[in-house]
């Protein structure tokens, strides 16, 4: 069972979650899908840059950085 939905950017370092919804504009959505960010994909928040942007996550065994405004539009369900 998964927890409530929240923006990816609201996770704490080390938190693990599953992508539940990607609400980015269609012109940006294809790029995120190509990088492996699909609904149901488990992710882990690795760290924030010193000023909080970008955000580094671990997805499918590799590290990926996203801009905070993109991470704000990705809803995740935390894992118990």
């Amino acid at each position: 069972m998964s927890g409530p939905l929240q923006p990816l950017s609201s996770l704490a370092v080390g938190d693990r979650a599953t992508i539940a919804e990607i609400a980015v504009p269609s012109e940006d959505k294809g790029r995120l899908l190509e990088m492996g960010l699909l609904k149901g994909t488990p992710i882990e928040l690795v760290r924030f840059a010193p000023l909080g942007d970008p955000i580094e996550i671990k997805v499918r065994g590799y590290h990926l950085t996203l801009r905070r405004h993109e991470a704000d539009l990705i809803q995740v369900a935390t894992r118990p």
Side-chain angles (χ1 to χ4, degrees):
M1 181 144 211
S2 57
L5 298 184
Q6 62 188 77
L8 191 159
S9 58
S10 69
L11 296 177
V13 172
D15 281 354
R16 295 175 182 209
T18 302
I19 296 174
E21 182 180 331
I22 300 173
V24 298
S26 59
E27 61 268 17
D28 295 331
K29 196 168 191 174
R31 182 175 57 83
L32 296 177
L33 295 175
E34 288 174 355
M35 293 190 292
L37 296 177
L38 304 169
K39 185 176 178 181
T41 303
I43 57 107
E44 177 181 349
L45 196 135
V46 176
R47 66 180 164 174
F48 293 94
L51 296 178
D53 191 17
I55 295 170
E56 182 177 339
I57 63 171
K58 186 173 182 181
V59 56
R60 301 180 189 266
Y62 66 93
H63 291 240
L64 175 67
T65 56
L66 296 171
R67 289 291 179 191
R68 180 175 281 275
H69 72 273
E70 294 173 321
D72 287 341
L73 300 173
I74 298 172
Q75 296 291 313
V76 297
T78 55
R79 293 198 253 169

